[in-house]
Structures are given as C-alpha cells and as structure tokens.
C-alpha cells in the first residue's frame, strides 16, 4: 500500500513538473518579449534623437520636423524607461519564483527519489546477505558485519524514505505558491507599468491583488507549520523504530503471537533449478481463508500458492539456512519450503498455518480455539489426514445440484455477446441438472461420457493400464497429443450450437465451486487422437473417461482466461431414455486452452478427411468390382462364342467323315459282292470268319 501510494505521489510530482516546465516556457516568452519591446523602444528613441544629425542629399534643415521628432523621442524614451522598469519587475516578481521552484524544488524531488531508490536497493542487498548467513558455521565477525550492514541500510532507507515523503508532501504546498506568486508578480508589474501612465488604472485590481497576496502569505505560514510538524514526527519515528531496524529482534521484547489465523509478510521461497541445485526468491506472502497466496513486487494482485486446509507444516533443516519450514498439501503431492526473516516470524508463520490447516478460521471464535491447540502449534507439526478421508469428505453429492448455480446472472463469463444476454438460463441449461465436480475413476459404463456405440461397452478396462494383448486404438492414429488438465465439473445443457453455452457453463460451475468452497480439482492427462479424447490417470495410466471424437460437437476456450476450456459431448443416453442429450465438460489447463481447442479441431479435420478418403476408397473398390464383374461376363461371353465355333467345326467335320465312310462302305460292299460272286461260297465263309 505504501509503494502504491508513493507511486501516486510520484505520478503527481511528474505531472506538476511537466506543467511547470510548460508554464515556465510561456512566461519566459513574455519576459523575452518585454525585453525585446524595451530594447526596440529605446532604439526607436535613439534613432529619433539622431535625426538632426542626419545629412540627407535632397533634404534641407527642417527645424519643425526636428523639434517634433525630438518631442516624440522624449515621450518614447519615457516609454522605454517604463518598459525597462517592467522588464526588471517581471524578472524579479515573475521569473525568479518559478525558476527557483523549477531548479530547486523539483530537482530536489528527483534527487531524493534517486537516493531513496539507492537506499532501497542497498537494504534489499543487505537483507539478502543476512538471509545467507550460515547456521552451521557461526562466524561472529561476519555475522556482526552483516547485522551492522542491515542495521545501517535499513536505518538509511527509513530516514531517506521519510525525508522523501516530507518533500513530496511539501510539494503540494509549493505547487500552489509556484503558481500564484509568478502570476501575482506579473500582475503587479503590469499595474505598476500602467500606473506610470494612469493612477486610476489599478483601482479595480488593488483589492483582488491584495487578497491574493494575503492568501499567499497564509499558505506560506501553513507550509512552515506543517514542515515543523513533519520534522518532529520524523525525529520521533526514528527514536521509536530504532529496535525494529534489527532483522532479528529480541523475542523477549517482541514475543510471537501463536493464536493467529491470518498472517502476511516477506518470505524466501526455495525453487529447484536442477537435481541438487536450488535458488531462493523473496516474495510477499499472505493467507486468505484456507489459501496461501504470494505477490511479487509490481504485481496487481496475489496468486494462489497452495491450499493449506488439512495441510501439514513442520520445521525443517534446509541446506545452510535458518528459520526454514515446510508446508505439505493434504494429499502429499505438493510441498513448499519457505524461510522467515526472524525467529518471531518463523514461529508465527508455523502457528498460523497450523491453525488454518485445522480450519479454525471458520469458527466463531478462532483465537480461543487456536489457544487450545497452542501446544501442537509449539511442536510445529500438524497430522495430515489420509487422501481417502480427504477425498470422501470433500466429494460433493453428484445428484444434488447447488441451489445458487442457476439463480445468478445468465450472462456469459467475460463474454460481450449481445445474443447471450438476451437468452434465458433455461434456453442454455437443462432444468434441475446436477453439477458433477469430480471424475469417478476408473471409468464406468454408466457414465454419460462413455460412448456405448463405439464397440467398447462390453469390454472392461484393465485397472493396471494394460491392454490385455489387444492393440491400442490410438496406436494407428496420426494425431497423438497429450495435455495436463484439471477437471472443474460437468453439467447437462440444452443447446450445443453456440460457444456461449460453454461460457455459461464455465460461469455456473465456477460460481458453484466458489459458493460451496470446492477447491480440489482432479488432475488428468487429456489425450487427443483422431478417434477420441481420453482422460488418463497420470499415475496409473488408467483411462478415466473416453469421449468419441464424432460425439464432440462443440469446443471453445474462455475469451479472457485462456486456462479454461470446455467441450460439449452429444450422447444417446441420458435422463430420458432413447433421447440424445448434450453434456458440457469444463477443464482448467496450464494456459493451453487455445492449443487444446486447436488440437481437437485438427483431430476432427483429420478424421473428416480420413472419412472422405475411406468413402472414396470404398467407392473405387465398388467401381473396380463392377468392372471386374463386367470383364468376367465379357470373358464368359467370348468363351461361349468360342465353344459354339468349335462345336460348329466339329459338326462339320463329323458330317464330312460320315459321308466318306458311307462311300467307302459302298465301294467295299461292291468289291465284296464281286469277290463273293467270284469266290463263291468259300469266300463268304472266309469273310465271316474274319469278321
């Protein structure tokens, strides 16, 4: 808050400096113009006086002209004297105050700002060196030098800061004076100039200028009194704050408060930079409800570090640093090691986080209840419940929808769409639909996200993540991208045509989680392939949910928060049998919402083109089958024709052979008859025996 307020004062000082520079240039132009007018008037008077000394070739002595010009020269010389007096008064009454304010006061502000920045940097460097003091190797000389350095730099920073603040406060008074005094001097100089010509010119302005002069004197007296008070306050603060300049004050004089349920201050956080190496970063930490928040210098707001409900906190020996403690989340998956500046802060942080982990802050009298567990806070250890107990206690009832989830505004979260604002809630979300905040693992056939028509309704998922000898369905997929996501919730929707449905579902689920204090999120791996979307357990590699890609009809990321994204799944089973329902699933990613949406879009495009190729391939196969059938028919027809021709040739050859045999028989018969007639009876018997 102090640095934010200081930024406002510095911005105001910069604006004052800019305006004063412009005003100074304008007044300097007036002063230069007045000097030029005075010089020009004096030169004119001088030239008029020298008229009588001129010897014009065509002119003669003209006593009247000479005397007239001498009279004019006398009047103009008096005017020149008046302008010279006016220039002197402008220099003293107008230019001197604004020049002094510009060159002295504004430069003093800039100098104090640089000195304050240097002192602040020296203090940060001294604190860093002090934080690196070895706990195992006690070197009193080095420790004394570092402690003295911290004391000196902190005292210097405090003193410089108070003088800088005093100068900034004084600037608000000097601003009024620097504006009024030059104007007052300018007007008085002009009035004095005109008084030389007319005594009655200033009658109407004398009272006003007198009042302005009185006001300037009052402001100056008030400024002097305020400067005295601020100087006295600075002296008192220096005396009172002297014990606090030490980085580790005496715990007997400043005892630790062990019954706190809220705490804020600077801590050093350890960040791992390698397998065995680590670095420390100093940030401002504070508790907010059951959350530990951190805020870097220059950030507008703090960010979530860890959910410290049911967490465990204990003192640890960390490397070569003192006052270190470790916070571990309820499920043991996340832990942070922090270092306090002093033993007092160290004990207060441990006690405060210990009290918050027991959810004492939710009771009516948190300090009284914290006093009862003071003994466990002194031991600096908090027992952590098991993950199963935490899981069962925090699991929301799936069939009981939060009553406030549908009573809030129907406008899309962060959406400027005018069409959505005109829609009612019932036109986007089905009435009385439950909000599911968790994923039931392992995957079940009764979940609406399961596609029963995908050929896997009868196959049981292997709990060990193995395929059981079958080939994984994503092995042949062209696209295979994996993202880390956290499931926020899902609910049934009535429409799946506009991205506004996804925005409205995001708004309702986030509002319901905030109302019911549901901060736990199930982390999964989202696998995007050309066939489906899969939610996989990151530890066991078990498929929690499977979403067939053709059923994903709508997907969008939040317009402002790119960590949020969701998609709408159209299924054939829901609360009404034999009726298609649409369920919207909302996830949080690591700023990869647009990448996931692009990946899903690419998967759908690949699947679409694959389907087109498959249809084209089937059509080509059908054409090939028709051509093959036609070719077979043609070959069959040719074979029939060939057989007919062969049969015709055979018939013709058979007929010719029959005719030849008949003629041969006739010839043989004739010869036989002749022989029979010649041989007589003996010849017949011989032929018969041969036959």
């Amino acid at each position: 808050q102090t640095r934010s307020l200081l930024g406002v004062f510095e911005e105001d000082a910069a604006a004052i400096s800019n305006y004063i520079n412009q005003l100074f240039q304008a007044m300097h132009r007036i002063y230069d113009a007045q000097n030029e007018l005075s010089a020009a008037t004096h030169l004119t008077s001088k030239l008029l006086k020298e008229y009588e000394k001129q010897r014009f070739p065509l002119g003669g002595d003209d006593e009247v002209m000479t005397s007239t010009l001498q009279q004019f020269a006398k009047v103009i010389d008096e005017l020149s004297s008046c302008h010279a007096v006016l220039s002197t008064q402008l220099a003293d009454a107008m230019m001197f105050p604004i020049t002094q304010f510009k060159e002295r006061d504004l430069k003093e502000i800039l100098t104090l700002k640089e000195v304050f920045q240097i002192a602040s940097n020296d203090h940060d460097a001294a604190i860093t060196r002090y934080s690196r003091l070895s706990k195992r190797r006690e070197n009193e000389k080095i420790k004394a030098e570092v402690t003295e350095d911290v004391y000196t730099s902190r005292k210097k920073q405090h003193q410089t800061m108070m003088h800088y603040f005093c100068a900034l406060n004084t600037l608000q008074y000097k601003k009024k004076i620097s504006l009024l005094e030059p104007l007052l001097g300018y007007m008085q100089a002009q009035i004095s100039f005109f008084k030389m010509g007319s005594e009655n010119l200033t009658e109407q302005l004398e009272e006003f200028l007198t009042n302005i002069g009185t006001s300037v004197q009052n402001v100056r007296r008030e400024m002097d009194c305020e400067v005295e008070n601020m100087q006295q306050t600075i002296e008192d603060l220096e005396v009172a704050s002297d014990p606090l300049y030490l980085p580790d004050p005496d715990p007997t004089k400043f005892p630790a408060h062990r019954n706190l349920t809220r705490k804020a201050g600077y801590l050093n956080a350890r960040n791992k930079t390698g397998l065995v190496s680590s670095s420390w970063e100093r940030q401002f930490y504070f508790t907010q409800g059951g959350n530990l928040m951190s805020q870097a210098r220059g950030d507008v707001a703090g960010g979530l570090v860890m959910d410290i409900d049911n967490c465990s906190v204990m003192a640890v020996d960390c490397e070569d640093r003192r006052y270190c403690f470790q916070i571990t989340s309820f499920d043991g998956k996340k832990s942070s090691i922090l270092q306090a500046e002093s033993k007092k802060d160290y004990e207060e942080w441990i006690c405060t986080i210990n009290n918050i982990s027991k959810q004492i802050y939710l009771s009516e009298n948190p300090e009284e209840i914290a006093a009862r567990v003071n003994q466990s806070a002194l031991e600096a250890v908090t027992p952590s419940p098991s993950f199963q107990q935490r899981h069962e206690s925090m699991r929301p009832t799936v069939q009981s929808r939060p009553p406030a989830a549908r009573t809030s505004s129907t406008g899309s979260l962060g959406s400027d769409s005018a069409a959505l604002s005109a829609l009612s809630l019932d036109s986007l979300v089905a009435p009385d639909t439950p909000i599911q905040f968790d994923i039931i693992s392992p995957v079940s056939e009764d979940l609406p996200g399961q596609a029963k028509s995908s050929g896997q309704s009868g196959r049981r998922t292997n709990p060990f993540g193995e395929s059981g000898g079958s080939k994984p369905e994503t092995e042949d997929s062209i696209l295979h991208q994996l993202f880390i996501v956290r499931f926020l919730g899902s609910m049934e929707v009535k429409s799946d045509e506009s991205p506004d449905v996804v925005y409205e579902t995001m708004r309702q689920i986030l509002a319901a989680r905030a109302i019911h204090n549901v901060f736990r999120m199930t982390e999964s791996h989202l696998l995007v392939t050309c066939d489906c979307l899969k939610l996989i357990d990151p530890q066991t590699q078990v498929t929690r949910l499977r979403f067939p890609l053709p059923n994903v009809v709508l997907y969008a990321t939040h317009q402002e928060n790119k960590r949020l994204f969701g998609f709408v799944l159209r299924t054939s089973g829901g609360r009404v049998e034999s009726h298609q329902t649409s369920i919207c699933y909302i996830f949080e990613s690591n700023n990869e919402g647009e990448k996931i949406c692009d990946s899903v879009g690419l998967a759908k495009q690949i699947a679409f083109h694959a389907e087109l190729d498959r249809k084209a391939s089937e059509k080509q196969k059908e054409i090939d089958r028709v051509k093959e059938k036609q070719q077979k028919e043609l070959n069959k027809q040719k074979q029939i024709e060939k057989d007919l021709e062969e049969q015709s040739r055979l018939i013709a050859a058979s007929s010719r052979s029959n005719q030849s045999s008949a003629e041969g028989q006739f010839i043989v018969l004739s010869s036989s008859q002749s022989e029979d007639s010649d041989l007589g009876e003996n010849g017949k018997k011989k032929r018969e025996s041969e036959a």
Side-chain angles (χ1 to χ4, degrees):
Q1 292 176 353
T2 302
R3 288 186 178 275
S4 299
L5 188 60
L6 177 60
V8 175
F9 273 79
E10 289 177 347
E11 184 178 359
D12 182 77
I16 293 173
S17 178
N18 185 28
Y19 180 79
I20 288 299
N21 287 332
Q22 296 178 6
L23 185 62
F24 174 81
Q25 293 177 1
M27 289 185 174
H28 202 277
R29 289 184 62 183
I30 294 176
Y31 177 67
D32 292 340
Q34 184 60 42
N35 289 335
E36 182 66 21
L37 180 60
S38 176
T41 308
H42 179 71
L43 179 60
T44 303
S45 174
K46 182 179 179 181
L47 290 174
L48 291 177
K49 289 180 179 179
E50 293 178 354
Y51 180 79
E52 62 180 2
K53 299 179 180 180
Q54 300 298 321
R55 294 293 182 261
F56 300 103
L58 298 178
D61 294 336
D62 190 352
E63 296 292 335
V64 176
M65 187 62 181
T66 301
S67 60
T68 304
L69 292 178
Q70 288 294 329
Q71 189 66 28
F72 274 110
K74 183 179 179 181
V75 174
I76 294 176
D77 193 24
E78 293 177 356
L79 290 176
S80 176
S81 300
C82 293
H83 283 294
V85 172
L86 178 59
S87 298
T88 304
Q89 291 179 348
L90 289 178
D92 296 337
M94 183 180 71
M95 295 307 301
F96 178 76
I98 193 170
T99 303
Q100 190 178 26
F101 176 75
K102 177 176 176 294
E103 298 295 332
R104 186 186 65 183
D105 299 328
L106 294 181
K107 285 188 176 181
E108 180 185 6
I109 292 294
L110 295 177
T111 304
L112 288 175
K113 181 179 179 180
E114 294 177 358
V115 173
F116 169 72
Q117 188 63 37
I118 294 173
S120 179
N121 295 336
D122 293 343
H123 173 255
D124 290 343
I127 284 294
T128 303
R129 288 193 299 271
Y130 179 81
S131 300
R132 294 175 179 173
L133 277 177
S134 174
K135 187 177 74 172
R136 298 176 183 175
R137 299 190 304 272
E138 290 291 336
N139 192 332
E140 295 298 327
K141 181 178 180 181
I142 297 178
K143 183 177 179 181
E145 291 177 358
V146 174
T147 304
E148 182 66 20
D149 191 11
V150 173
Y151 173 85
T152 304
S153 61
R154 185 170 288 181
K155 185 173 184 180
K156 180 181 178 182
Q157 182 197 18
H158 195 194
Q159 293 174 347
T160 307
M161 177 179 64
M162 289 187 293
H163 287 289
Y164 183 34
F165 292 174
C166 175
L168 288 175
N169 291 332
T170 309
L171 183 64
Q172 299 301 316
Y173 295 98
K174 292 182 178 180
K175 175 180 67 174
K176 301 176 182 179
I177 296 173
S178 65
L179 292 176
L180 295 179
E181 276 190 348
L183 296 177
L184 180 62
Y186 174 77
M187 294 304 298
Q188 287 179 346
Q190 293 291 342
I191 290 174
S192 177
F193 172 75
F194 288 113
K195 271 186 176 181
M196 296 179 185
S198 174
E199 294 293 336
N200 299 325
L201 184 62
T202 61
E203 290 181 355
Q204 299 178 353
L205 298 177
E206 282 184 353
E207 184 177 358
F208 172 75
L209 297 179
T210 302
N211 294 335
I212 295 296
T214 304
S215 177
V216 169
Q217 294 300 323
N218 292 335
V219 171
R220 185 176 293 277
R221 285 193 296 269
E222 186 178 352
M223 180 192 70
D224 295 338
C225 180
E226 186 67 20
V227 169
E228 269 185 35
N229 294 334
M230 284 189 289
Q231 292 293 342
Q232 184 63 37
T233 303
I234 289 175
E235 294 178 1
D236 297 339
L237 286 176
E238 287 180 355
V239 175
S241 303
D242 192 77
L244 298 178
Y245 291 142
L246 293 172
D248 195 0
D250 188 0
T252 58
K253 297 181 180 179
F254 301 95
H257 300 282
R258 303 182 180 277
N259 303 331
L260 299 176
T261 56
R262 291 186 300 174
K263 178 69 176 172
Y266 281 94
L267 294 173
N268 292 328
R270 189 183 74 168
N271 299 321
K272 288 187 177 180
T273 57
L275 295 177
V276 294
S277 60
S278 61
S279 62
W280 294 83
E281 182 180 5
R282 187 170 182 261
Q283 285 190 352
F284 185 82
Y285 285 81
F286 61 95
T287 61
Q288 185 174 346
N291 298 323
L292 179 64
M293 315 289 286
S294 69
Q295 183 173 354
R297 183 176 295 180
D299 291 349
V300 179
L304 178 63
V305 176
M306 185 186 300
D307 181 6
I308 53 179
D309 278 340
N310 293 329
C311 72
S312 63
V313 56
M314 61 183 66
V316 294
D317 288 333
C318 184
E319 297 174 355
D320 205 16
R321 294 205 175 203
R322 303 175 300 169
Y323 308 139
C324 293
F325 58 94
Q326 180 175 350
I327 308 173
T328 307
S329 60
F330 68 93
D331 55 358
K333 293 182 179 180
K334 188 175 183 180
S335 63
S336 296
I337 296 179
L338 304 173
Q339 180 195 18
E341 291 184 359
S342 61
K343 186 176 182 180
K344 176 178 177 293
D345 286 343
Y346 163 78
E347 294 179 356
E348 286 183 354
W349 272 107
I350 291 178
C351 295
T352 303
I353 295 175
N354 191 26
N355 295 335
I356 294 176
S357 68
K358 296 178 180 298
Q359 298 184 352
I360 297 176
Y361 66 96
L362 297 176
S363 59
E364 295 181 357
N365 298 318
E367 293 186 359
E368 295 180 3
I369 299 177
R372 298 175 186 175
V373 296
N374 189 21
Q375 185 63 32
S376 62
L378 287 174
E379 296 175 358
V381 176
T382 302
S384 176
S386 65
F387 176 75
Q388 183 65 25
Q389 294 175 353
R390 171 72 173 175
H391 184 75
E392 296 297 332
S393 63
M394 290 299 294
R395 179 187 293 277
T397 304
V398 177
Q399 297 297 330
S400 60
R401 188 184 181 191
R406 295 182 65 251
T407 58
S408 58
S409 174
T410 61
S412 174
L413 182 63
S415 174
D416 298 331
S417 174
L420 180 62
S421 61
L423 295 176
S424 63
L425 184 63
D426 292 336
S427 65
L428 296 177
V429 180
D432 300 329
T433 180
I435 297 179
Q436 180 175 319
F437 294 111
D438 199 3
I439 298 176
I440 301 176
S441 179
V443 70
S444 173
E445 287 81 359
D446 298 333
L447 287 177
Q450 288 290 85
K452 297 182 180 180
S453 62
S454 62
Q456 297 201 5
S457 59
R459 184 171 63 86
R460 186 176 184 86
T461 304
N462 193 329
F464 297 100
E466 299 174 355
S467 59
S470 62
K471 187 177 181 179
E473 61 181 3
T474 60
E475 194 173 282
D476 297 333
S477 177
I478 300 176
L479 185 66
H480 193 278
Q481 291 188 353
L482 198 67
F483 301 94
I484 298 176
V485 296
R486 289 168 291 279
F487 181 72
L488 295 179
S490 63
M491 61 187 300
E492 184 177 339
V493 295
K494 295 181 66 176
S495 174
D496 54 11
E497 298 177 355
S498 173
D500 295 332
V501 178
V502 180
Y503 305 150
E504 176 64 20
T505 307
M506 290 178 181
R507 187 193 64 78
Q508 291 199 27
I509 289 178
L510 291 177
R513 293 180 75 93
I515 290 173
H516 293 273
N517 294 325
V518 180
F519 298 105
R520 183 178 55 83
M521 294 180 289
T522 303
E523 184 171 289
S524 304
H525 288 172
L526 178 65
L527 179 63
V528 181
T529 66
C530 299
D531 299 325
C532 63
L533 306 181
K534 277 188 176 183
L535 283 182
I536 303 174
D537 189 285
Q539 296 180 352
T540 63
Q541 299 300 314
V542 174
T543 300
R544 289 173 171 169
L545 285 179
R546 181 183 182 278
F547 310 100
L549 193 62
N551 292 1
V552 179
V553 296
L554 181 66
Y555 50 91
T557 184
H558 197 274
Q559 293 176 333
E560 296 178 358
N561 187 359
K562 301 305 179 182
R563 298 167 62 92
L564 300 178
F565 79 98
F567 59 84
V568 178
L569 187 76
R570 185 181 296 170
T571 60
S572 58
R575 293 179 297 168
V576 181
E577 294 297 334
S578 68
H579 177 69
Q580 283 192 348
T581 59
S582 298
I583 300 177
C584 185
Y585 292 84
I586 305 301
F587 298 88
E588 182 189 38
S589 64
N590 300 329
N591 289 325
E592 293 181 339
E594 292 182 349
K595 293 182 180 179
I596 297 177
C597 289
D598 294 340
S599 180
V600 175
L602 179 60
K604 292 185 74 69
Q605 289 181 5
I606 294 175
F608 176 72
H609 289 296
E611 182 67 18
L612 292 180
D613 294 341
R614 186 186 63 81
K615 291 182 178 180
S617 177
E618 291 180 356
K619 187 175 181 181
Q620 185 64 33
K621 289 180 180 180
E622 184 68 24
I623 293 174
D624 293 341
R625 285 195 298 269
V626 172
K627 288 182 178 180
E628 185 179 357
K629 186 177 180 181
Q630 291 178 354
Q631 186 66 30
K632 287 182 179 180
E633 292 290 338
L634 183 59
N635 294 337
K636 187 177 180 181
Q637 185 68 25
K638 290 181 178 180
Q639 186 66 31
I640 292 174
E641 292 178 356
K642 185 177 180 181
D643 293 342
L644 289 175
E645 290 178 358
E646 185 67 26
Q647 188 175 4
S648 300
R649 287 195 300 271
L650 291 175
I651 293 173
S654 176
S655 61
R656 286 194 301 271
S657 63
N658 290 335
Q659 184 178 0
S660 301
S661 62
E663 293 176 353
Q665 289 177 1
F666 177 74
I667 296 171
V668 170
L669 182 58
S670 300
S671 61
S672 297
Q673 289 178 357
S674 62
E675 289 178 356
D676 288 344
S677 59
D678 293 338
L679 296 177
E681 190 65 27
N682 293 329
K684 288 182 180 179
K685 290 181 179 181
K686 186 179 181 180
R687 285 193 300 273
E688 288 177 359
S689 63
E690 290 176 357

